[in-house]
Amino acid sequence: MFTGIVEKIGRIAKITPQGKNCHFFIESQLAAELKIDQSVAHNGVCLTVVGIENQQYEVVAINETLQKTSLSTWQVGDMVNLERAMKLGDRLDGHIVQGHVDQTGVCHSIEDAQGSRVFTFHYDPSLGNMTIEKGSITVNGVSLTVVNSQKGVFSVAVIPYTYEHTSFYTLKEGDVVNLEFDVIGKYVLAKVNALKLKN
């Protein structure tokens, strides 16, 4: 379980394919604080630490993860948002994030809002996900508030601190991002759909 509050940014130092799986070696100051078998969210994707050496650690993504997230587009040198699993008793400064990406989206536009930046993302609504105005959304592991919501489209306002301390400063129009929709909203939507089928 995560909160969507990014702790550090990591750099992909090496990528090694193994069959249909892929090993990612991440360079980060966080490496010294990690332990084997620990869960870390990488751009919102929960992966298990399998190796640690100096300022680098290793995680493995299976084929399903590569297919359903943006990990298949990662390249050496890319910057990724990192967050360790939350501790019981910690403040929940973001929102409840599972680290299970629902689908990918595409950065459609980035606008200067005189003090913040407004990012607009498109996603495929046929997969059954949705956003609501002022609701929570996780984009590349960052907990954000939806400021504009339409079918298959939403926008978020990113303040300068978040822009500078996450990988949002590297994001460009056309980039693929990982999306995790609000878990409470997903349960409500599933219940509503179940009732519709029943009736």
Side-chain angles (χ1 to χ4, degrees):
M1 195 71 70
F2 304 91
T3 68
I5 303 299
V6 173
E7 290 187 77
K8 298 285 184 182
I9 302 176
R11 186 184 74 87
I12 300 174
K14 185 169 70 171
I15 301 173
T16 305
Q18 183 187 42
K20 290 187 176 182
N21 296 343
C22 203
H23 293 246
F24 294 97
F25 295 81
I26 313 295
E27 185 179 274
S28 171
Q29 296 175 349
L30 206 61
E33 303 176 42
L34 297 178
K35 298 178 181 178
I36 301 295
D37 285 339
Q38 196 165 7
S39 295
V40 179
H42 301 73
N43 275 6
V45 182
C46 180
L47 299 170
T48 301
V49 176
V50 299
I52 304 170
E53 186 173 351
N54 299 322
Q55 291 295 308
Q56 289 186 16
Y57 67 92
E58 177 186 359
V59 293
V60 182
I62 63 173
N63 184 56
E64 182 179 3
T65 302
L66 295 171
Q67 296 300 315
K68 293 186 176 180
T69 70
S70 67
L71 270 66
S72 60
T73 70
W74 284 4
Q75 299 179 8
V76 171
D78 283 354
M79 309 303 288
V80 295
N81 297 317
L82 306 175
E83 181 191 357
R84 289 173 292 180
M86 66 179 295
K87 297 178 181 178
L88 287 176
D90 280 359
R91 290 186 178 89
L92 187 60
D93 290 318
H95 70 282
I96 297 172
V97 177
Q98 294 180 297
H100 302 156
V101 171
D102 294 303
Q103 64 182 97
T104 57
V106 176
C107 181
H108 177 71
S109 65
I110 305 170
E111 300 175 26
D112 186 349
Q114 298 183 347
S116 63
R117 289 174 175 82
V118 176
F119 289 77
T120 299
F121 299 95
H122 286 197
Y123 65 94
D124 181 2
S126 70
L127 298 180
N129 295 306
M130 61 176 288
T131 59
I132 61 168
E133 201 84 15
K134 302 298 186 290
S136 296
I137 184 74
T138 307
V139 180
N140 276 353
V142 182
S143 173
L144 296 164
T145 301
V146 175
V147 296
N148 184 27
S149 176
Q150 301 174 44
K151 186 176 182 180
V153 184
F154 69 90
S155 299
V156 293
V158 176
I159 62 173
Y161 182 89
T162 302
Y163 182 80
E164 294 164 5
H165 289 82
T166 69
S167 65
F168 262 87
Y169 75 91
T170 69
L171 205 59
K172 306 180 299 297
E173 292 180 6
D175 282 354
V176 177
V177 296
N178 294 318
L179 302 176
E180 181 181 330
F181 296 80
D182 181 50
V183 64
I184 297 173
K186 286 188 286 189
Y187 276 111
V188 171
L189 185 60
K191 182 64 175 178
V192 169
N193 288 336
L195 289 172
K196 285 181 180 178
L197 289 173
K198 191 175 182 180
N199 294 331

